[in-house]
Amino acid sequence: PGNEEVLPGQPISERERALVESPELLESYGQKLFPLLLVVHASAINASVRQKCLTCITQVLHFYPTSSIEAFLRDRPLAAFISPLISLREPAAAAAALHMAEILLTKLPHVYEVKFLREGVFHAVSALCAGEDSEEGDVEPVGGESNSATAAAAAAAAGAAAAAAAAASAASSSASMAQTSARRTSRRHTEPGLGSSAGESASDGVPTSSGANGSGNGGSAFSSLDARRIGKLRRSPAWSRSAVQAENVEAAVSAPAVLTAAGGGGFLATHAAEAAVIAQASRFEALFLKNKPSLSETVAAGEGSNTLRTLRTLASDLVDPTLFSTLNPKVTLSGSLSSLADVHALQQLAALLEQHEGVTTFELANSGLIEAMLAYLVAGAD
């Protein structure tokens, strides 16, 4: 990905060949529809529509000629678009965002290395690899050489879960057909008017308060048991090991009740997709972060860009009462206000906001400036 040239011997479709041989078609398509795709993705509620938009955007970036893609993306905030997608708990969206980021860093590393640092893309990838976005913190971080095994094992778990769910569905269908046949036979051999409605219900074998399992009051208890089993499975170390060791997958999905009655198939499929995204993020980190020690150390320390460091300094100066500022009761408000530390910090902040690049959302949210500004504005209100 990231190269519009197709590798020799790699089979391609007629559509791909047309895009490669006629780049002007893709340029026209991208210039007209790319902004629309971004707007539709931002406003669409349907997950399928959003995912199709991400797919189209990724394909445009993949096939767009490297010689003209910088001009095409110059005024488009694509880095700000990618960063929140990686942080979302939607594996499909995160996978597409990681693919876009890889393409951009391959084609335009001199541009998007800085943009990704400022918009928090690298920080989001590192957090994803470290497992900081885990819902309960019960799944061990996945990284290093086990990433491929993780994705394969997770996919195998999803396949086994789907197979178990299909088998259970078939068995349930067969049982339902047998119950229907039994009811018909019972009605055929029962004399009219001899049985009450309750007796007919009992003779037909129709459960009065059961769920899909057809076992009287066992339906609710069965679902409760399944929920407890899934919770226990998710919290157990065996679940984390099963994501790395393929031989444990069969044991992890060997309980059909957990997979079918309580939605265990979807549960395992979701974690399979999450494990695949973590593996993709680890690959991205190895390609674009680990091989650059200075960038990797900056991201690991949470320092970020120069603008982020400047904002943190301004936030500190704004609320420090020991400095020569209006917050210091020993300072008299006479003379030039520009000499006061808090006023000077506000002037520097205004200058930063007036610049073309300005301040990104990630930098503002992680600088502590918002909290410092609030504390500064309400200082002395008591």
Side-chain angles (χ1 to χ4, degrees):
N3 186 2
E4 71 275 13
E5 299 295 336
V6 180
L7 296 177
Q10 180 182 4
I12 61 174
S13 64
E14 292 296 329
R15 182 181 303 177
E16 292 175 330
R17 182 176 290 106
L19 293 176
V20 172
E21 295 176 355
S22 304
E24 66 277 1
L25 296 177
L26 183 64
E27 292 181 10
S28 176
Y29 165 80
Q31 292 171 0
K32 294 178 180 179
L33 292 184
F34 200 86
L36 180 61
L37 291 171
L38 294 175
V39 172
V40 171
H41 178 273
S43 59
I45 299 177
N46 189 286
S48 177
V49 173
R50 294 199 305 270
Q51 190 58 37
K52 289 183 183 299
C53 290
L54 293 178
T55 301
C56 294
I57 293 172
T58 305
Q59 289 179 346
V60 170
L61 296 177
H62 175 77
F63 288 104
Y64 211 91
T66 304
S67 58
S68 55
I69 192 173
E70 182 174 358
F72 172 65
L73 298 176
R74 179 171 292 120
D75 297 325
R76 307 188 193 281
L78 205 56
F81 175 74
I82 291 174
S83 181
L85 291 178
I86 299 177
S87 303
L88 286 177
R89 292 192 60 83
E90 295 182 8
L98 287 169
H99 192 184
M100 294 181 205
E102 184 175 345
I103 293 172
L104 293 174
L105 284 178
T106 302
K107 290 187 173 184
L108 299 172
H110 61 288
V111 175
Y112 279 93
E113 185 173 301
V114 177
K115 289 182 177 293
F116 284 174
L117 183 62
R118 295 198 61 192
E119 294 289 353
V121 174
F122 290 136
H123 293 77
V125 171
S126 297
L128 184 59
C129 294
E132 293 180 10
D133 62 339
S134 177
E135 182 179 354
E136 296 181 2
D138 52 0
V139 179
E140 296 178 0
V142 180
E145 299 178 353
S146 64
N147 292 329
S148 299
T150 301
S169 177
S172 176
S173 177
S174 300
S176 178
M177 293 176 63
Q179 288 181 359
T180 302
S181 177
R183 287 197 298 269
R184 290 175 179 174
T185 303
S186 177
R187 291 193 184 100
R188 190 179 300 117
H189 293 285
T190 302
E191 294 183 4
L194 293 181
S196 64
S197 59
E200 289 175 354
S201 177
S203 64
D204 291 345
V206 180
T208 58
S209 62
S210 67
N213 56 4
S215 59
N217 293 331
S220 59
F222 191 75
S223 300
S224 176
L225 175 61
D226 295 332
R228 290 197 300 271
R229 285 180 177 176
I230 286 184
K232 183 177 180 181
L233 174 63
R234 188 177 182 183
R235 291 189 297 271
S236 65
W239 171 259
S240 299
R241 291 195 299 269
S242 66
V244 182
Q245 302 174 2
E247 60 269 20
N248 290 341
V249 172
E250 183 178 356
V253 298
S254 60
V258 177
L259 296 175
T260 56
F267 170 75
L268 288 178
T270 300
H271 277 269
E274 291 178 354
V277 170
I278 292 176
Q280 185 180 358
S282 298
R283 175 178 176 272
F284 178 92
E285 187 180 42
L287 287 174
F288 302 105
L289 278 177
K290 297 298 184 182
N291 59 349
K292 297 182 178 180
S294 59
L295 179 60
S296 180
E297 292 174 1
T298 299
V299 174
E303 295 179 357
S305 62
N306 294 331
T307 303
L308 178 58
R309 290 192 287 270
T310 301
L311 289 176
R312 287 175 175 172
T313 301
L314 294 179
S316 177
D317 294 345
L318 198 61
V319 295
D320 190 351
T322 63
L323 299 178
F324 188 78
S325 69
T326 59
L327 297 181
N328 192 335
K330 298 180 180 180
V331 175
T332 58
L333 300 181
S334 60
S336 175
L337 294 178
S338 299
S339 60
L340 299 174
D342 54 338
V343 176
H344 181 64
L346 291 174
Q347 291 174 341
Q348 285 186 297
L349 176 60
L352 277 177
L353 295 175
E354 290 176 356
Q355 294 179 3
H356 175 67
E357 295 294 337
V359 177
T360 68
T361 303
F362 174 80
E363 291 169 339
L364 185 62
N366 290 270
S367 63
L369 184 63
I370 297 177
E371 295 82 357
M373 184 70 71
L374 179 61
Y376 176 75
L377 294 176
V378 300
D382 297 336

